């Protein structure tokens, strides 16, 4: 991920920080990977109160199958 995904500011001036990103990741861990990534970006947009990010945003997710899926 890039710093643009966690260095966002709420309308009240609060920084989301890495802890906000971590909470968002925890909140979506039961979702399918593509839905989880979309939900994390949605959390970030909701935090800042608008759609457009002021910095570049990159978020990469990797799904590792369990032995039962092999």
């Amino acid at each position: 991920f890039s710093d643009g995904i966690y260095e966002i500011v709420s309308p009240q001036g609060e920084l989301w920080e890495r802890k906000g990103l971590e909470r968002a990741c925890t909140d979506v861990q039961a979702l399918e990977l593509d839905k989880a990534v979309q939900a994390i970006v949605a959390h970030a947009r909701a935090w800042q109160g608008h759609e457009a990010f002021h910095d570049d945003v990159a978020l990469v997710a990797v799904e590792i199958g369990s032995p039962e899926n092999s």
Side-chain angles (χ1 to χ4, degrees):
F1 56 89
S2 67
D3 62 349
I5 192 68
Y6 64 85
E7 290 183 346
I8 54 175
V9 180
S10 74
Q12 296 78 26
E14 296 175 83
L15 197 60
W16 201 38
E17 300 181 336
R18 288 178 72 156
K19 290 216 179 264
L21 175 58
E22 290 170 11
R23 279 190 303 274
C25 290
T26 300
D27 290 348
V28 302
Q29 66 184 346
L31 297 176
E32 293 179 17
L33 190 62
D34 61 331
K35 301 289 186 207
V37 171
Q38 292 173 22
I40 292 167
V41 173
H43 278 290
R45 286 184 169 133
W47 175 265
Q48 67 179 2
H50 51 86
E51 288 290 310
F53 292 103
H54 293 287
D55 194 0
D56 64 307
V57 170
L59 182 61
V60 177
V62 176
E63 185 170 29
I64 301 171
S66 64
E68 62 196 39
N69 293 334
S70 301

